[in-house]
Amino acid sequence: MTDIIDEPDFERLPMEVYTERAYLDYSMYVINDRALPHIADGLKPVQRRIIYAMSELGLNSQAKFTKSARTVGDVLGKFHPHGDSACYEAMVHMAQPFSFRYPLVDGQGNWGAPDDPKSFAAMRYTEARLSRYADLLLAEYRQGTVDFAANFDGTTQEPRLLPAQLPFVLLNGSTGIAVGMATDIPPHNINEVISACVHMLDSPKASVVDLMTHIKGPDFPTDANIISSEQEIREVYETGRGSIKARARYHIENGEVIVTALPHQASPAKVLEQIAQQMNAKKLPMLVDLRDESDHENPTRLALVPRSNRVDMERLMSHLFSTTDLERNYRVNLNIIGLDQRPAVKSLSDIISEWLKYRLDVVTRRLNYRLDKINERLHILSGLLIAYLNIDEVIRIVREADKPRDELMSRYALTEIQANAILDLRLRQLAKLEEIKLTTERDELSQEKAELEKILGSKMRLRTLIKRELLAIADNYGDPRRSLIIQVDDAVAFTDEDLLTNEPVTVVLSEKGWVRAAKGHEVDPQELSFRSGDGFALAARGRTNEALIFFDSTGRAYSVAPHTLPSARGQGEPLSGRFKPPSGARFIGIAMGSVELNLLMASNAGFGFVGRLADMITKNKAGKGVLTVPSGGVALMPCVFSPSEKAEALVAAVTSQGRLLVFPLKDLPELSRGKGNKLINVPSAAFKSGEETMVSVAVIHAGADLLVHAGQRHLRMKRKDLQHYLGERARRGHKLPRGFQKADLLSVE
């Protein structure tokens, strides 16, 4: 006989199928039962359960405050079998006026602060009850307006949704992270939302543009300004995605900047810390002090003290908006669970339209529930009035009949409900006055019934009723907008140049290429101490916010910020440590001043051009090739001059053979880089053999003298003395007097 083996009591599934199914089940649970709000009441499940549990405990807005632990215990024990800390934190969030635009819980005790929203006391210390705004969620839930479902253990019932009288999904907004999706809904103003709902009741096909005539934009719990443009806000409402920018409010008081409102969820302590860090890093030299003057009368009051009254406050605040939480960007993602129980990103018109559909259903169910109650009462009243018309016979039947209920039902064609109502009458209710009351009640209920049937029979009347109720709520609960919407310029942070102080400085370069900077222009560079074997080479005077360029013998230019140079109290640092010049190159020139300055660039081959300082600025450590130097040649020290001097200035060029040529500066082209044009004729054969080179050039402005140096001797030549050496550019020039035919340098005084 073959043994019968029972099939195992479990299902076999491939791991791939099982994990996919388990993950999808978990995902849908997180989406629908944890992270995303429902469009009907704007609540997540834990929030809905907290509010319902508090209502069942009798903790309405008029009740005494009760320990929060009592509420949390009730929520966990009956509806939400999860962690108590998470449940309490959700309750705290609904009680914080700086988190919810319209708080649903009224708290007593320490419920956190804007500096640290999670600094609230433990639930055994705090007390709570529902706020007046929660009445708008709960007022109709006992009137047959919503479906109930069994709780997690089947011992009681809980509402699937709450019959919200307003679209709280817009009023308080919501944030949440589900699996594969998230939601970020900003809060809005109650008056504007109601106005938009009324408009859509009148015009069901209203567009987002139409609704934005009512809803101007989000309305955060704090008084900070919204600075997003109308186009950006419209894009958010049309697509359901985007971002909104908010900026702190401030004013000038006694020469100080007073910040009176911060963006939503910005911490005053963190803002002060961010500013203090910049001050310590010397990135805010125009600020000398910070103060937090917040108190009960001024919940937010931050004082910023400038260094002097010459500080540009608007520019300072623009920098702080760009670099601190004084300006914040809020992501918007209108991802909501709809009436079809599916999450979707919705536009503003979709949200209001879908919520109004829910509201129409709630009001219809409420009216039908009331109509059923009226019909039940009218049914009983008709039976009672029959009894009053035959009161003596009814009394006799009740006293003498074995089964008075059956007797009454058969004698007067009453229903069982009517007969029971007659039998439940007390003697005192047999008075004539009671009969009059019943008649009056019947007439009133009949009138109310007719009115309800009219409303239920007409969509127009139903919409009018909803509109009337919404406007009544606006009168009782409406408040002014807190977040003003303004148009401002974009915030711009300070650049390194903006932070520079405009102070005089003297830059000194040694023969070995060591550089340093001395404050002021009074210092004599040649009196500074130098390293052994080193000495003074060049110096330039300017200001700390001006351009500073070094030139090497290969024709390359190198930029550096003057304020970054070491102090002249020491012996400086080598330029070769900052830059990467070509092998064998040496630094031969300095130019410092406005970027509009001109320079005469020249090589010892006798070629050169006029360039602009702005074209020579570079961030490259290897420098920027400006002057093309021929093979075997070197660049000469540049000559700096103002563009205004160009028309009257002369160029003097001298060769190693003692030939001097002077010609108008305007004959030279202006180039950004290159070899340039010939200044003085140096024969190429002589240059290549080293017999003759151009040794120096100078720019002679009107009224200046030319000094020709030959070793320790020098010859001063005034403007009239230069007539003999004037000629066309690129000529050979004339010989200098005896004793100066070995000239090695030209200078101008």
Side-chain angles (χ1 to χ4, degrees):
M1 183 174 179
T2 305
D3 293 335
I4 299 176
I5 301 175
D6 294 334
E7 288 293 325
D9 190 19
F10 54 82
E11 181 182 6
R12 291 183 179 272
L13 286 175
M15 180 62 75
E16 179 184 358
V17 175
Y18 171 75
T19 53
E20 180 180 355
R21 183 186 300 175
Y23 185 71
L24 287 175
D25 289 345
Y26 167 74
S27 301
M28 292 310 298
Y29 168 77
V30 173
I31 291 168
N32 287 310
D33 292 329
R34 183 183 299 175
L36 301 189
H38 199 285
I39 195 168
D41 53 16
L43 300 174
K44 300 176 185 179
V46 65
Q47 295 171 331
R48 188 178 302 118
R49 287 164 176 166
I50 290 170
I51 291 172
Y52 177 68
M54 293 181 75
S55 173
E56 290 296 286
L57 288 171
L59 301 179
N60 58 41
S61 57
Q62 304 301 318
K64 286 178 60 178
F65 287 95
T66 300
K67 287 289 184 184
S68 302
R70 170 84 182 277
T71 298
V72 172
D74 224 49
V75 173
L76 300 186
K78 292 182 178 179
F79 309 113
H80 198 72
H82 296 276
D84 60 339
S85 59
C87 178
Y88 179 51
E89 190 169 331
M91 181 179 175
V92 169
H93 193 63
M94 291 192 290
Q96 292 175 334
F98 50 84
S99 295
F100 263 41
R101 180 65 176 84
Y102 300 99
L104 300 175
V105 175
D106 188 5
Q108 187 169 266
N110 177 13
W111 290 80
D115 267 344
D116 186 4
K118 294 194 176 184
S119 62
F120 49 84
M123 59 184 170
R124 61 180 177 274
Y125 298 118
T126 60
E127 297 178 340
R129 65 185 179 190
L130 291 171
S131 73
R132 59 192 295 259
Y133 296 108
D135 295 342
L136 299 173
L137 287 166
L138 296 163
E140 301 169 347
Y141 86 93
R142 295 182 184 273
Q143 300 177 28
T145 51
V146 291
D147 296 327
F148 280 74
N151 68 339
F152 65 91
D153 61 1
T155 57
T156 186
Q157 298 278 305
E158 63 174 317
R160 294 183 183 273
L161 299 169
L162 293 179
Q165 293 177 277
L166 290 177
F168 275 89
V169 71
L170 288 176
L171 296 182
N172 280 325
S174 184
T175 60
I177 300 175
V179 178
M181 61 180 64
T183 183
D184 290 282
I185 308 169
H188 293 78
N189 182 267
I190 198 168
N191 284 335
E192 294 182 2
V193 170
I194 289 176
S195 181
C197 289
V198 170
H199 179 78
M200 183 153 274
L201 284 170
D202 292 333
S203 306
K205 295 184 179 180
S207 66
V208 169
V209 175
D210 297 331
L211 295 176
M212 282 187 65
T213 60
H214 304 273
I215 299 178
K216 307 297 183 183
D219 187 22
F220 294 105
T222 60
D223 293 336
N225 295 324
I226 292 174
I227 60 170
S228 296
S229 67
E230 182 179 349
Q231 181 179 354
E232 290 172 328
I233 298 174
R234 183 172 68 247
E235 183 179 349
V236 166
Y237 287 151
E238 286 178 342
T239 64
R241 287 192 173 94
S243 62
I244 299 292
K245 286 183 181 179
R247 181 178 288 186
R249 287 189 193 177
Y250 73 95
H251 64 271
I252 309 301
E253 184 179 302
N254 298 325
E256 299 178 353
V257 177
I258 306 298
V259 178
T260 56
L262 294 177
H264 181 43
Q265 296 175 336
S267 164
K270 185 177 179 182
V271 169
L272 290 177
E273 181 184 353
Q274 290 171 333
I275 299 175
Q277 286 175 349
Q278 294 190 45
M279 292 175 66
N280 293 335
K282 297 184 179 180
K283 293 184 177 180
L284 284 176
M286 65 289 297
L287 276 186
V288 295
D289 193 18
L290 299 174
R291 294 195 306 273
D292 187 351
E293 300 177 346
S294 306
D295 53 28
H296 290 294
E297 293 183 2
N298 303 287
T300 301
R301 183 179 170 88
L302 308 181
L304 313 181
V305 184
R307 185 173 296 277
S308 71
N309 57 8
R310 295 189 301 274
V311 173
D312 186 346
M313 303 293 195
E314 298 293 332
R315 184 68 187 90
L316 168 63
M317 293 307 295
S318 179
H319 168 78
L320 293 178
F321 288 141
S322 176
T323 58
T324 70
D325 282 350
L326 288 174
E327 179 177 310
R328 294 194 65 175
N329 196 42
Y330 300 93
R331 185 181 64 180
V332 178
N333 183 14
L334 305 181
N335 193 5
I336 305 168
I337 298 175
L339 298 180
D340 57 359
Q341 303 305 313
R342 294 177 179 272
V345 177
K346 302 177 185 293
S347 67
L348 178 65
S349 56
D350 291 339
I351 293 172
I352 293 180
S353 176
E354 195 166 343
W355 181 82
L356 285 174
K357 181 180 178 182
Y358 174 72
R359 184 61 187 160
L360 283 166
D361 179 63
V362 167
V363 173
T364 301
R365 292 179 66 169
R366 186 190 79 202
L367 297 180
N368 281 322
Y369 178 83
R370 176 59 181 164
L371 188 59
D372 291 342
K373 292 295 183 183
I374 289 175
N375 287 330
E376 290 175 9
R377 182 59 179 165
L378 286 174
H379 181 63
I380 292 173
L381 288 176
S382 64
L384 293 176
L385 289 173
I386 289 174
Y388 276 102
L389 289 175
N390 303 277
I391 189 64
D392 293 334
E393 183 62 18
V394 168
I395 293 173
R396 187 192 67 77
I397 292 173
V398 172
R399 289 183 63 190
E400 299 177 358
D402 293 334
K403 296 182 178 180
R405 186 179 62 185
D406 296 341
E407 184 72 20
L408 289 172
M409 291 171 62
S410 61
R411 176 74 64 89
Y412 299 107
L414 300 175
T415 65
E416 184 175 346
I417 294 174
Q418 291 172 321
N420 285 334
I422 293 171
L423 293 173
D424 289 339
L425 284 172
R426 298 178 181 177
L427 286 175
R428 76 172 81 176
Q429 292 177 304
L430 299 179
K432 185 68 176 175
L433 185 60
E434 289 296 327
E435 183 181 357
I436 296 172
K437 287 182 180 180
L438 293 175
T439 304
T440 303
E441 183 183 357
R442 181 193 62 187
D443 294 342
E444 290 175 351
L445 290 177
S446 298
Q447 184 177 353
E448 184 181 353
K449 175 184 177 181
E451 187 66 28
L452 290 176
E453 288 174 341
K454 282 183 183 179
I455 295 173
L456 290 169
S458 168
K459 289 185 178 180
M460 184 62 69
R461 289 177 183 267
L462 189 59
R463 289 177 176 273
T464 302
L465 173 64
I466 294 174
K467 189 192 309 183
R468 192 164 59 244
E469 290 177 348
L470 288 172
L471 294 174
I473 292 172
D475 290 338
N476 292 328
Y477 293 88
D479 63 349
R481 165 177 277 277
R482 294 182 186 174
S483 301
L484 299 180
I485 300 176
I486 61 174
Q487 299 301 311
V488 295
D489 295 332
D490 291 339
V492 179
F494 287 134
T495 61
D496 291 341
E497 290 74 17
D498 294 331
L499 297 174
L500 296 180
T501 54
N502 185 11
E503 298 176 350
V505 65
T506 301
V507 177
V508 181
L509 182 66
S510 75
E511 294 174 350
K512 301 289 187 181
W514 287 62
V515 68
R516 48 187 155 166
K519 291 184 178 180
H521 291 166
E522 295 78 18
V523 64
D524 185 351
Q526 300 191 39
E527 292 183 357
L528 296 175
S529 64
F530 292 88
R531 297 165 61 88
S532 176
D534 201 358
F536 170 75
L538 299 168
R541 290 182 170 87
R543 308 193 77 83
T544 51
N545 61 346
E546 291 180 332
L548 174 60
I549 310 292
F550 293 93
F551 299 91
D552 71 9
S553 56
T554 67
R556 300 187 72 79
Y558 306 84
S559 305
V560 66
H563 72 281
T564 65
L565 295 178
S567 170
R569 287 193 292 266
Q571 292 182 335
E573 65 179 40
L575 280 178
S576 57
R578 286 179 175 253
F579 308 127
K580 296 179 180 178
S583 177
R586 57 188 179 86
F587 291 97
I588 51 88
I590 306 178
M592 187 177 185
S594 166
V595 293
E596 300 301 322
L597 285 178
N598 286 142
L599 295 92
L600 173 57
M601 305 294 297
S603 68
N604 66 348
F607 290 86
F609 63 88
V610 173
R612 291 175 65 246
L613 197 64
D615 295 330
M616 301 173 189
I617 296 174
T618 177
K619 293 182 179 180
N620 193 343
K621 285 189 174 183
K624 180 179 183 179
V626 177
L627 178 67
T628 302
V629 178
S631 176
V634 294
L636 301 179
M637 185 170 62
C639 302
V640 183
F641 60 92
S642 170
S644 61
E645 299 171 352
K646 188 173 182 180
E648 302 294 331
L650 300 174
V651 175
V654 65
T655 71
S656 58
Q657 296 293 333
R659 290 188 170 275
L660 175 66
L661 175 66
V662 179
F663 61 88
L665 177 62
K666 60 185 178 182
D667 290 352
L668 271 181
E670 184 170 320
L671 304 174
S672 60
R673 61 193 302 172
K675 178 180 178 181
N677 289 12
K678 184 174 284 190
L679 306 182
I680 188 170
N681 187 5
V682 177
S684 59
F687 172 75
K688 290 178 180 179
S689 65
E691 294 179 12
E692 185 178 13
T693 60
M694 186 172 71
V695 293
S696 184
V697 290
V699 175
I700 312 167
H701 53 82
D705 295 342
L706 176 68
L707 270 68
V708 181
H709 299 263
Q712 298 296 321
R713 304 172 61 188
H714 69 271
L715 173 65
R716 182 180 293 272
M717 304 177 71
K718 296 188 177 295
R719 194 87 167 187
K720 62 181 180 179
D721 300 328
L722 300 176
Q723 295 296 323
H724 175 65
Y725 301 97
L726 280 175
E728 295 180 359
R729 179 182 61 78
R731 297 295 185 182
R732 283 288 287 158
H734 293 281
K735 280 277 189 177
L736 285 165
R738 185 181 299 274
F740 290 93
Q741 292 182 3
K742 295 293 183 181
D744 53 17
L745 180 66
L746 299 178
S747 64
V748 177
E749 286 187 357

